[in-house]
Amino acid sequence: MGFVFLVHHLRSRERFAMKYLPLPSAVQRERMLREAQAQARVRHRHVVRVIEQLDVGGDPATILELVDGSDLSEVLDGPPLAMDAAVDIFHQLVMAVGAMHAAGVIHRDLKPSNVLMFKRDGRWIAKVSDFGIAKLVSGDEEDSITTEGVALGSPAYMSPEQARSARDVGPRTDLFALGCILYELVCGRAAFGGTGAMGAMKAAREGRFEDSRRYAPHAPEWVHTAITRCLDPSEEGRIRSCKEILDLMGKEDTQADAEDTDVREGPGETVLYGERAGSHAPTVLYGQSAGSAVPPEPTSLLGSKLVLGVLALVVIALLVAVAVVLGQGGGGAEKDYVPLEDVLGGE
């Protein structure tokens, strides 16, 4: 089980999110480190920024840009989006995915719940998150710990080739997921939803989905064309790049806003996060069970002012137990973080 905490920089008082995985297996540890490595490669305003990786009592933790809002799945569960807003969100996602592919990163799990959302001046802003099963590609070498023949991802957004083997996919698997998201943005329903995991994968493999014109008759024609080309079950027949999608949209292929980020790095070389000993524990944003990306209840990360007290107590008890088991470790070497036992007010 992993957790995300709201933490703040002890000098600047700036708030961040800390993703923490207690007592991981070797594979879990490696996957979390790869996740941070993949996400850190991409510097774009529509990708959640990795600030730093930490070792917390022997367990991995990642400091991330804090996005105080909801996610796209919650937005889609609300009132229908205006067409202009839906197209704007999709444009942001295409730019983000283009930046990922340019950096040699294939996300492999693009879906609405992995797109964090907030509003600025009445406009929805999207930021892609959760690179937990991302694949790193560097030149002719592929950096992936995925076993050949294993399907990883979310069935309703998974390309047919990814359903066969997540290890062997290329960038076009993300373009398939973008097509699924575009369909949902403009039609208000999933392209391959409602039939269960196996049914969704079978429908995707057969290229079987209802014509988007039925649910979005007033959408621009390029929307229907992009959906059809992105959801081609054949990787060879599918649209080839984010640039081609932008061409269909009539948008320029530009990364002009790649460095226009919404987060500042902490000052100085030594970065301290958390609370000082004896003070309150960090706020629990949500607890995440393995294989699930949905918080058990709305919390502060999702726009609520309420913090789940019971969950917080459970997490605190878990972390105290971890601290007792692992001990303080030897030596008086300087550390560039505040240990969680200090955060929780331990001796």
Side-chain angles (χ1 to χ4, degrees):
M1 176 178 286
F3 301 97
V4 176
F5 292 93
L6 174 64
V7 298
H8 64 261
H9 193 284
L10 290 179
R11 294 176 182 168
S12 70
R13 312 305 292 176
E14 187 173 1
R15 299 191 308 161
F16 297 93
M18 183 179 79
K19 188 172 185 177
Y20 170 65
L21 184 64
L23 298 176
S25 68
V27 172
Q28 289 173 326
R29 175 189 295 277
E30 179 68 11
R31 193 171 294 283
M32 185 166 177
L33 294 176
R34 292 289 180 87
E35 174 183 3
Q37 181 184 357
Q39 199 164 342
R41 277 194 185 189
V42 188
R43 299 290 291 270
H44 195 277
R45 69 177 307 171
H46 296 302
V47 175
V48 174
R49 177 90 170 272
V50 169
I51 307 299
E52 186 177 9
Q53 284 184 270
L54 302 177
D55 183 279
V56 181
D59 297 329
T62 305
I63 302 297
L64 300 160
E65 169 189 4
L66 176 64
V67 180
D68 194 359
S70 56
D71 62 49
L72 183 54
S73 65
E74 291 197 337
V75 172
L76 291 170
D77 286 340
L81 289 165
M83 185 58 63
D84 287 349
V87 168
D88 184 31
I89 292 169
F90 181 68
H91 182 214
Q92 294 175 42
L93 296 180
V94 174
M95 295 295 289
V97 174
M100 290 179 216
H101 293 173
V105 176
I106 303 170
H107 191 283
R108 296 195 298 186
D109 200 19
L110 289 171
K111 58 184 177 180
S113 60
N114 283 343
V115 178
L116 303 185
M117 304 289 296
F118 66 97
K119 273 194 170 182
R120 181 193 294 131
D121 299 327
R123 178 195 179 201
W124 281 113
I125 305 297
K127 287 181 178 282
V128 178
S129 67
D130 203 338
F131 286 61
I133 62 171
K135 177 179 179 179
L136 303 181
V137 181
S138 179
D140 295 329
E141 297 181 2
E142 296 186 355
D143 186 5
S144 175
I145 58 172
T146 306
T147 303
E148 186 175 358
V150 173
L152 294 175
S154 302
Y157 304 91
M158 191 189 301
S159 69
E161 66 270 19
Q162 187 169 335
R164 291 190 295 270
S165 175
R167 183 182 180 89
D168 300 324
V169 299
R172 293 191 201 184
T173 196
D174 287 343
L175 305 185
F176 185 92
L178 279 176
C180 293
I181 293 172
L182 176 59
Y183 189 100
E184 201 162 348
L185 280 167
V186 300
C187 297
R189 54 183 286 145
F192 305 110
T195 56
M198 296 304 294
M201 288 189 288
K202 184 174 186 293
R205 187 171 64 248
E206 296 172 354
R208 192 164 31 84
F209 58 92
E210 293 195 59
D211 191 337
S212 54
R213 291 175 180 83
R214 174 181 176 184
Y215 300 103
H218 303 299
E221 186 58 29
W222 71 260
V223 167
H224 307 299
T225 302
I227 288 172
T228 301
R229 293 190 61 193
C230 285
L231 298 186
D232 192 311
S234 164
E235 186 176 9
E236 295 76 19
R238 196 174 307 146
I239 201 163
R240 293 177 296 178
S241 67
C242 287
K243 182 182 184 304
E244 286 196 10
I245 298 177
L246 293 172
D247 288 343
L248 283 176
M249 298 178 71
K251 303 286 187 180
E252 292 184 6
D253 181 21
T254 174
Q255 297 295 323
D257 64 344
E259 294 300 325
D260 184 12
T261 56
D262 297 299
V263 64
R264 298 183 303 276
E265 293 192 27
E269 295 181 359
T270 301
V271 183
L272 308 175
Y273 298 92
E275 300 281 355
R276 295 190 184 280
S279 64
H280 297 292
T283 302
V284 177
L285 299 182
Y286 59 83
Q288 180 174 318
S289 300
S292 170
V294 182
E297 293 282 347
T299 64
S300 58
L301 182 62
L302 305 179
S304 171
K305 293 183 179 179
L306 298 178
V307 177
L308 297 180
V310 173
L311 179 59
L313 291 175
V314 171
V315 175
I316 290 169
L318 174 63
L319 295 177
V320 170
V322 171
V324 170
V325 171
L326 297 179
Q328 296 294 325
E334 239 181 81
K335 296 181 178 179
D336 60 357
Y337 61 89
V338 174
L340 283 183
E341 55 263 38
D342 291 349
V343 171
L344 299 172
E347 293 297 330

